Amino acid sequence: GDSVTQMEGPVTLSEEAFLTINCTYTATGYPSLFWYVQYPGEGLQLLLKATKADDKGSNKGFEATYRKETTSFHLEKGSVQVSDSAVYFCALIGDYKLSFGAGTTVTVRA
Amino acid sequence: DAGITQSPRYKITETGRQVTLMCHQTWSHSYMFWYRQDLGHGLRLIYYSAAADITDKGEVPDGYVVSRSKTENFPLTLESATRSQTSVYFCASRLAGGKNEQFFGPGTRLTVL
């Protein structure tokens, strides 16, 4: 079945540091890929998505590129802020439901 | 209010009691989902519904019951709550067809004593 493996955390960074969270997937067919973010005490919000190979999703300074050859969808941000502290989930949708990674907790220190 | 809402936001109950968590969406999305979020397990799908009167089991359905008599509502019932059902529960919805994103509610934090 479909599955997502993402980098385990927690990750602690200083402001303005570069952030990468690795995500790889296993799926049949051509899934759409997502990154969701969960801020403390809140539900999940879509951060960005990509629906086909080589697509780049971007939002709020975050980027991720759908790499079919390496079955990856790594999340990157060049300069993080304290407000980026959250839990980040990589996910894919193959047919009807999302399959999530375990989530990566990111803490950004001032 | 527009969007997807859950109630209650917080609930404390006792073992053996019946508890119902409510989920309401205003977008007329066909699909609705219930997840639980636990440390070390990420989000796990409990039940989902493709349309009114159509429901199906997810990964962890035992101990839960759902119904969907109206498109906009998808209540989740714990028939006899157990401590292992202490969790944060998220409802989600999305449009039918394709691979559309899911929209999540704010969550219900349930504690079973």
Side-chain angles (χ1 to χ4, degrees), chain B residues 19-102:
Chain B
V19 177
T20 296
L21 310 183
M22 304 301 294
C23 178
H24 175 78
Q25 51 102 357
T26 60
W27 295 306
S28 298
H29 285 172
S30 296
Y31 278 88
M32 295 188 75
F33 304 83
W34 274 107
Y35 295 87
R36 59 179 290 174
Q37 184 177 29
D38 305 287
L39 276 174
H41 291 281
L43 283 101
R44 293 182 290 177
L45 181 65
I46 305 171
Y47 268 94
Y48 70 99
S49 169
D53 297 323
I54 300 175
T55 63
D56 209 345
K57 296 177 180 179
E59 303 168 59
V60 288
D62 293 344
Y64 303 94
V65 174
V66 293
S67 62
R68 191 146 177 229
S69 58
K70 294 183 178 181
T71 299
E72 61 267 31
N73 296 324
F74 191 39
L76 175 74
T77 297
L78 289 67
E79 293 190 302
S80 178
T82 64
R83 289 195 182 90
S84 65
Q85 293 177 308
T86 293
S87 186
V88 180
Y89 292 85
F90 288 100
C91 180
S93 71
R94 71 169 179 86
L95 288 167
K99 297 166 184 177
N100 296 296
E101 68 183 88
Q102 284 182 196

Side-chain angles (χ1 to χ4, degrees), chain A residues 31-104:
Chain A
S32 290
L33 302 175
F34 305 86
W35 277 100
Y36 280 84
V37 59
Q38 184 179 29
Y39 298 105
E42 298 184 12
L44 278 74
Q45 304 173 22
L46 180 68
L47 181 59
L48 52 84
K49 68 177 182 181
T51 59
K52 61 183 188 294
D54 300 324
D55 265 3
K56 177 185 284 188
S58 61
N59 185 26
K60 298 182 180 181
F62 290 89
E63 292 184 339
T65 301
Y66 189 144
R67 301 287 187 198
K68 190 166 174 59
E69 64 275 15
T70 54
T71 61
S72 65
F73 193 54
H74 305 322
L75 182 69
E76 296 181 337
K77 185 171 185 180
S79 177
V80 293
Q81 304 300 312
V82 172
S83 57
D84 294 324
S85 298
V87 182
Y88 293 83
F89 293 91
C90 186
L92 70 83
I93 185 165
D95 42 21
Y96 66 90
K97 70 178 183 71
L98 278 178
S99 296
F100 285 95
T104 302

